[in-house]
mmCIF file of all heavy atoms in Angstrom:
data_model
loop_
_atom_site.group_PDB
_atom_site.id
_atom_site.type_symbol
_atom_site.label_atom_id
_atom_site.label_comp_id
_atom_site.label_asym_id
_atom_site.label_seq_id
_atom_site.Cartn_x
_atom_site.Cartn_y
_atom_site.Cartn_z
ATOM 1 N N PHE A 415 2.320 20.435 12.391
ATOM 2 C CA PHE A 415 3.214 19.433 12.973
ATOM 3 C C PHE A 415 4.452 20.100 13.584
ATOM 4 O O PHE A 415 4.908 19.734 14.668
ATOM 5 C CB PHE A 415 3.607 18.432 11.875
ATOM 6 C CG PHE A 415 4.644 17.415 12.294
ATOM 7 C CD1 PHE A 415 4.318 16.389 13.174
ATOM 8 C CD2 PHE A 415 5.946 17.473 11.788
ATOM 9 C CE1 PHE A 415 5.275 15.440 13.542
ATOM 10 C CE2 PHE A 415 6.898 16.539 12.153
ATOM 11 C CZ PHE A 415 6.561 15.511 13.033
ATOM 12 N N LEU A 416 4.997 21.105 12.879
ATOM 13 C CA LEU A 416 6.198 21.788 13.395
ATOM 14 C C LEU A 416 5.883 22.518 14.708
ATOM 15 O O LEU A 416 6.696 22.526 15.639
ATOM 16 C CB LEU A 416 6.752 22.768 12.347
ATOM 17 C CG LEU A 416 7.274 22.128 11.045
ATOM 18 C CD1 LEU A 416 7.716 23.198 10.047
ATOM 19 C CD2 LEU A 416 8.422 21.161 11.306
ATOM 20 N N TYR A 417 4.706 23.136 14.778
ATOM 21 C CA TYR A 417 4.308 23.777 16.042
ATOM 22 C C TYR A 417 4.245 22.740 17.165
ATOM 23 O O TYR A 417 4.753 22.955 18.268
ATOM 24 C CB TYR A 417 2.937 24.471 15.897
ATOM 25 C CG TYR A 417 3.029 25.849 15.281
ATOM 26 C CD1 TYR A 417 2.482 26.127 14.033
ATOM 27 C CD2 TYR A 417 3.671 26.893 15.954
ATOM 28 C CE1 TYR A 417 2.576 27.393 13.459
ATOM 29 C CE2 TYR A 417 3.763 28.170 15.391
ATOM 30 C CZ TYR A 417 3.217 28.410 14.146
ATOM 31 O OH TYR A 417 3.316 29.668 13.588
ATOM 32 N N THR A 418 3.639 21.587 16.865
ATOM 33 C CA THR A 418 3.528 20.528 17.874
ATOM 34 C C THR A 418 4.913 20.092 18.348
ATOM 35 O O THR A 418 5.140 19.879 19.543
ATOM 36 C CB THR A 418 2.781 19.304 17.271
ATOM 37 O OG1 THR A 418 1.548 19.761 16.719
ATOM 38 C CG2 THR A 418 2.508 18.246 18.314
ATOM 39 N N GLN A 419 5.854 19.980 17.402
ATOM 40 C CA GLN A 419 7.207 19.535 17.753
ATOM 41 C C GLN A 419 7.944 20.576 18.594
ATOM 42 O O GLN A 419 8.728 20.225 19.477
ATOM 43 C CB GLN A 419 7.998 19.211 16.476
ATOM 44 C CG GLN A 419 7.492 17.969 15.749
ATOM 45 C CD GLN A 419 7.688 16.702 16.571
ATOM 46 O OE1 GLN A 419 8.738 16.482 17.165
ATOM 47 N NE2 GLN A 419 6.659 15.871 16.630
ATOM 48 N N LEU A 420 7.689 21.863 18.312
ATOM 49 C CA LEU A 420 8.296 22.922 19.141
ATOM 50 C C LEU A 420 7.697 22.887 20.544
ATOM 51 O O LEU A 420 8.417 22.999 21.551
ATOM 52 C CB LEU A 420 8.040 24.300 18.515
ATOM 53 C CG LEU A 420 9.106 24.841 17.571
ATOM 54 C CD1 LEU A 420 8.671 26.205 17.037
ATOM 55 C CD2 LEU A 420 10.469 24.975 18.252
ATOM 56 N N GLU A 421 6.388 22.724 20.614
ATOM 57 C CA GLU A 421 5.721 22.655 21.922
ATOM 58 C C GLU A 421 6.244 21.462 22.711
ATOM 59 O O GLU A 421 6.449 21.538 23.928
ATOM 60 C CB GLU A 421 4.190 22.546 21.725
ATOM 61 C CG GLU A 421 3.562 23.848 21.238
ATOM 62 C CD GLU A 421 2.193 23.665 20.570
ATOM 63 O OE1 GLU A 421 1.723 22.513 20.444
ATOM 64 O OE2 GLU A 421 1.614 24.684 20.149
ATOM 65 N N LEU A 422 6.479 20.347 22.009
ATOM 66 C CA LEU A 422 7.019 19.145 22.643
ATOM 67 C C LEU A 422 8.382 19.456 23.260
ATOM 68 O O LEU A 422 8.665 19.096 24.403
ATOM 69 C CB LEU A 422 7.162 18.048 21.571
ATOM 70 C CG LEU A 422 7.462 16.629 22.022
ATOM 71 C CD1 LEU A 422 6.287 16.083 22.830
ATOM 72 C CD2 LEU A 422 7.706 15.724 20.815
ATOM 73 N N TYR A 423 9.212 20.154 22.480
ATOM 74 C CA TYR A 423 10.556 20.483 22.964
ATOM 75 C C TYR A 423 10.476 21.338 24.236
ATOM 76 O O TYR A 423 11.285 21.206 25.145
ATOM 77 C CB TYR A 423 11.331 21.243 21.876
ATOM 78 C CG TYR A 423 12.784 21.483 22.255
ATOM 79 C CD1 TYR A 423 13.772 20.583 21.851
ATOM 80 C CD2 TYR A 423 13.162 22.572 23.038
ATOM 81 C CE1 TYR A 423 15.096 20.774 22.211
ATOM 82 C CE2 TYR A 423 14.488 22.769 23.403
ATOM 83 C CZ TYR A 423 15.448 21.869 22.993
ATOM 84 O OH TYR A 423 16.762 22.048 23.358
ATOM 85 N N LEU A 424 9.476 22.219 24.277
ATOM 86 C CA LEU A 424 9.394 23.167 25.393
ATOM 87 C C LEU A 424 8.632 22.613 26.593
ATOM 88 O O LEU A 424 8.578 23.255 27.637
ATOM 89 C CB LEU A 424 8.699 24.455 24.915
ATOM 90 C CG LEU A 424 9.461 25.212 23.826
ATOM 91 C CD1 LEU A 424 8.605 26.329 23.253
ATOM 92 C CD2 LEU A 424 10.772 25.769 24.359
ATOM 93 N N SER A 425 8.025 21.415 26.461
ATOM 94 C CA SER A 425 7.169 20.963 27.565
ATOM 95 C C SER A 425 7.978 20.447 28.755
ATOM 96 O O SER A 425 7.841 20.938 29.861
ATOM 97 C CB SER A 425 6.170 19.919 27.077
ATOM 98 O OG SER A 425 6.871 18.825 26.534
ATOM 99 N N ASN A 426 8.830 19.437 28.568
ATOM 100 C CA ASN A 426 9.681 18.986 29.670
ATOM 101 C C ASN A 426 10.894 18.250 29.113
ATOM 102 O O ASN A 426 10.937 17.892 27.941
ATOM 103 C CB ASN A 426 8.906 18.095 30.649
ATOM 104 C CG ASN A 426 8.363 16.858 29.952
ATOM 105 O OD1 ASN A 426 9.077 16.190 29.211
ATOM 106 N ND2 ASN A 426 7.078 16.563 30.177
ATOM 107 N N LYS A 427 11.848 18.001 29.973
ATOM 108 C CA LYS A 427 13.126 17.403 29.548
ATOM 109 C C LYS A 427 12.924 16.082 28.793
ATOM 110 O O LYS A 427 13.580 15.806 27.812
ATOM 111 C CB LYS A 427 14.014 17.150 30.776
ATOM 112 C CG LYS A 427 14.807 18.380 31.216
ATOM 113 C CD LYS A 427 16.065 18.543 30.333
ATOM 114 C CE LYS A 427 16.873 19.773 30.693
ATOM 115 N NZ LYS A 427 16.278 21.023 30.151
ATOM 116 N N GLU A 428 11.980 15.282 29.297
ATOM 117 C CA GLU A 428 11.764 13.962 28.708
ATOM 118 C C GLU A 428 11.304 14.091 27.255
ATOM 119 O O GLU A 428 11.812 13.434 26.361
ATOM 120 C CB GLU A 428 10.683 13.253 29.515
ATOM 121 C CG GLU A 428 10.811 11.743 29.523
ATOM 122 C CD GLU A 428 9.762 11.149 30.455
ATOM 123 O OE1 GLU A 428 9.871 11.375 31.680
ATOM 124 O OE2 GLU A 428 8.828 10.530 29.932
ATOM 125 N N ASP A 429 10.323 14.981 27.034
ATOM 126 C CA ASP A 429 9.773 15.145 25.693
ATOM 127 C C ASP A 429 10.761 15.829 24.757
ATOM 128 O O ASP A 429 10.672 15.687 23.539
ATOM 129 C CB ASP A 429 8.469 15.964 25.749
ATOM 130 C CG ASP A 429 7.337 15.147 26.338
ATOM 131 O OD1 ASP A 429 7.482 13.913 26.378
ATOM 132 O OD2 ASP A 429 6.332 15.742 26.774
ATOM 133 N N GLN A 430 11.687 16.580 25.355
ATOM 134 C CA GLN A 430 12.666 17.285 24.532
ATOM 135 C C GLN A 430 13.373 16.311 23.594
ATOM 136 O O GLN A 430 13.599 16.594 22.429
ATOM 137 C CB GLN A 430 13.691 17.941 25.457
ATOM 138 C CG GLN A 430 14.025 19.340 25.029
ATOM 139 C CD GLN A 430 14.883 20.049 26.060
ATOM 140 O OE1 GLN A 430 16.003 19.623 26.317
ATOM 141 N NE2 GLN A 430 14.364 21.098 26.654
ATOM 142 N N GLN A 431 13.689 15.125 24.142
ATOM 143 C CA GLN A 431 14.406 14.120 23.341
ATOM 144 C C GLN A 431 13.549 13.664 22.153
ATOM 145 O O GLN A 431 14.075 13.350 21.099
ATOM 146 C CB GLN A 431 14.737 12.884 24.205
ATOM 147 C CG GLN A 431 15.599 13.179 25.414
ATOM 148 C CD GLN A 431 16.888 13.894 25.039
ATOM 149 O OE1 GLN A 431 17.630 13.429 24.165
ATOM 150 N NE2 GLN A 431 17.144 15.033 25.671
ATOM 151 N N LYS A 432 12.232 13.630 22.352
ATOM 152 C CA LYS A 432 11.345 13.105 21.306
ATOM 153 C C LYS A 432 11.143 14.098 20.170
ATOM 154 O O LYS A 432 10.738 13.732 19.080
ATOM 155 C CB LYS A 432 9.971 12.762 21.903
ATOM 156 C CG LYS A 432 10.006 11.642 22.925
ATOM 157 C CD LYS A 432 8.577 11.368 23.405
ATOM 158 C CE LYS A 432 8.592 10.531 24.688
ATOM 159 N NZ LYS A 432 7.358 10.706 25.456
ATOM 160 N N SER A 433 11.399 15.379 20.427
ATOM 161 C CA SER A 433 11.143 16.401 19.414
ATOM 162 C C SER A 433 12.119 16.266 18.245
ATOM 163 O O SER A 433 13.236 15.770 18.408
ATOM 164 C CB SER A 433 11.281 17.791 20.036
ATOM 165 O OG SER A 433 11.217 18.774 19.020
ATOM 166 N N ILE A 434 11.673 16.715 17.068
ATOM 167 C CA ILE A 434 12.578 16.670 15.899
ATOM 168 C C ILE A 434 13.522 17.877 15.916
ATOM 169 O O ILE A 434 14.396 17.991 15.076
ATOM 170 C CB ILE A 434 11.790 16.653 14.565
ATOM 171 C CG1 ILE A 434 10.893 17.899 14.447
ATOM 172 C CG2 ILE A 434 10.985 15.393 14.424
ATOM 173 C CD1 ILE A 434 10.266 18.063 13.066
ATOM 174 N N PHE A 435 13.316 18.798 16.879
ATOM 175 C CA PHE A 435 14.154 20.003 16.939
ATOM 176 C C PHE A 435 15.258 19.880 17.981
ATOM 177 O O PHE A 435 15.104 19.194 18.989
ATOM 178 C CB PHE A 435 13.292 21.233 17.278
ATOM 179 C CG PHE A 435 12.418 21.680 16.141
ATOM 180 C CD1 PHE A 435 11.030 21.565 16.223
ATOM 181 C CD2 PHE A 435 12.966 22.203 14.975
ATOM 182 C CE1 PHE A 435 10.214 21.967 15.172
ATOM 183 C CE2 PHE A 435 12.162 22.609 13.920
ATOM 184 C CZ PHE A 435 10.788 22.492 14.020
#
Side-chain angles (χ1 to χ4, degrees):
F415 174 72
L416 295 176
Y417 277 114
T418 307
Q419 291 295 316
L420 267 179
E421 288 160 358
L422 191 65
Y423 186 94
L424 297 171
S425 59
N426 60 47
K427 276 279 178 282
E428 209 175 293
D429 287 343
Q430 223 172 63
Q431 300 305 308
K432 295 182 195 157
S433 172
I434 59 171
F435 287 112

